[in-house]
Every structure is written in C-alpha cells, then in structure tokens.
Amino acid sequence: AERYNLITEIDFYVVRKALQFMASEPEANSYSINLSGMSLGNRELLDLIISELDQNNVDPERVCFEITETAAIRNHTDAVKFMNVLHGLGCHFFLDDFGTGLSSFGYLKTLPLDLIKVDAHFVQSIETEEASRSIIQAITTIAHGFGIKTVAEGVENEHQLAILGALGIDYVQGYLIEKPARLMAA
C-alpha cells in the first residue's frame, strides 16, 4: 500500500471506522490505531481526526495512535507537528517496534510519547541472550527517565514475563496474555 501511495487512503478509512466504533462503545477503555509514517505529514488526515473526534463525541483520552520508530525518525519534523496537535487535545502516542530501527534516544526528547513498545524480537530471545536483556533494560531505563511507560511485545510464556517484570517493563502483550480477537460492534 505504501509503494503504490494508497496507505494514506487506508489510514483515512481506518481512522473513520475506528472512531465511529469507539462512539458506539462509550464505556469501553482506550483503543489503539496504527498510522503509517507517510500519513504523519498529511494535514487532511490531521483535520479528519479532529473532525471525527468531535462529530463522534469521542474523548481524545481514549485514543492511542501507534507509529513505528522508523516512521517517527524518517518523518521527524512532520511527526512532531502532527503528534503535538493531537497530544494537545488529549490523544496518546505509542512508539511501536522500538529497537528495530536506528534507536536514537535523542529524538525521544522531542516526541510527545506516552509509551514505547519494545519489539518482540528482543522478547523472543530474552531467555537465552544477555544482549536482549541488556537492550530491554536500557530501553526501559531511558524511557522511564523521560516519563514514558514501556510495553514488551510478543510475550509467550511465564518465564519471559518474570524476566520482563524484573527488568521494570510496565506492560506486556502477547499470546500469554490474550490471543488476537475480532473487533465486534455491540
């Protein structure tokens, strides 16, 4: 979709549908919406999100946008502007797949992030590789220094969960916790 410049249209569709769904579930917790890096500089998408939040009467505090580390770095200036506007309204931002790109900690100072998602690649080898444990520990320590929470992706067993807890990870996701499920409107 990115190669053929269709990803922004997909982001428009997903944002519209997700916010409409959230309006039908006012008592539910927050929901995460993944956005393409190519969409981060799109003023029309930003305007659509603001409009849909208002039209659907969705509390921005319930909306979490996930962007990948590489997208945030590649489109840093656009990402900061886009994120600052929505973060100012109360939306949250998660940096996804952290550790798979350039992993420059310097740009973390400029992005309004609420959470960093540690890539599953590190979790998968946490039981056997000291390097993976060290990387997760470093990411966690630095994130916490910025006041950013952490989540480890791809947790599949109790031993991984215990190690991650000892390293100070705030949240986990993966098959150990819950299998993916179809989103059903009430």
Side-chain angles (χ1 to χ4, degrees):
E2 285 183 346
R3 180 186 308 167
Y4 296 105
N5 295 317
L6 298 173
I7 197 66
T8 301
E9 289 178 45
I10 293 170
D11 281 346
F12 272 74
Y13 176 82
V14 169
V15 165
R16 251 190 230 104
K17 291 297 184 183
L19 293 176
Q20 288 169 4
F21 176 80
M22 290 178 71
S24 73
E25 297 284 327
E27 301 302 316
N29 292 326
S30 62
Y31 288 91
S32 292
I33 303 169
N34 286 37
L35 292 177
S36 162
M38 292 178 73
S39 297
L40 293 178
N42 188 311
R43 182 60 201 204
E44 290 177 21
L45 180 62
L46 181 61
D47 291 342
L48 172 84
I49 293 169
I50 294 168
S51 173
E52 290 289 326
L53 284 168
D54 186 51
Q55 286 178 18
N56 290 296
N57 199 29
V58 173
D59 180 1
E61 290 281 335
R62 295 178 53 214
V63 182
C64 308
F65 291 104
E66 293 190 24
I67 58 171
T68 62
E69 173 189 9
T70 50
I73 293 171
R74 188 177 340 125
N75 305 305
H76 187 262
T77 302
D78 291 335
V80 169
K81 290 176 188 174
F82 187 94
M83 293 168 69
N84 277 332
V85 170
L86 294 175
H87 201 260
L89 295 176
C91 295
H92 300 278
F93 281 90
F94 299 173
L95 192 61
D96 199 8
D97 299 335
F98 193 80
T100 60
L102 299 175
S103 298
S104 170
F105 293 121
Y107 68 85
L108 293 178
K109 295 189 303 187
T110 61
L111 296 174
L113 296 171
D114 299 288
L115 190 135
I116 292 175
K117 297 178 80 173
V118 178
D119 191 71
H121 168 79
F122 300 110
V123 175
Q124 291 168 355
S125 57
I126 197 170
E127 297 169 279
T128 59
E129 294 180 13
E130 180 63 35
S132 290
R133 289 188 294 278
S134 295
I135 289 168
I136 292 172
Q137 179 68 65
I139 292 169
T140 302
T141 300
I142 291 171
H144 288 167
F146 285 112
I148 300 170
K149 299 282 187 188
T150 55
V151 64
E153 299 177 313
V155 178
E156 297 180 359
N157 64 57
E158 293 288 342
H159 191 230
Q160 291 171 336
L161 182 64
I163 294 170
L164 291 165
L167 294 175
I169 287 284
D170 297 298
Y171 305 105
V172 297
Q173 70 182 56
Y175 284 171
L176 177 67
I177 308 305
E178 189 70 45
K179 303 258 189 300
R182 185 171 184 83
L183 184 62
M184 302 296 279

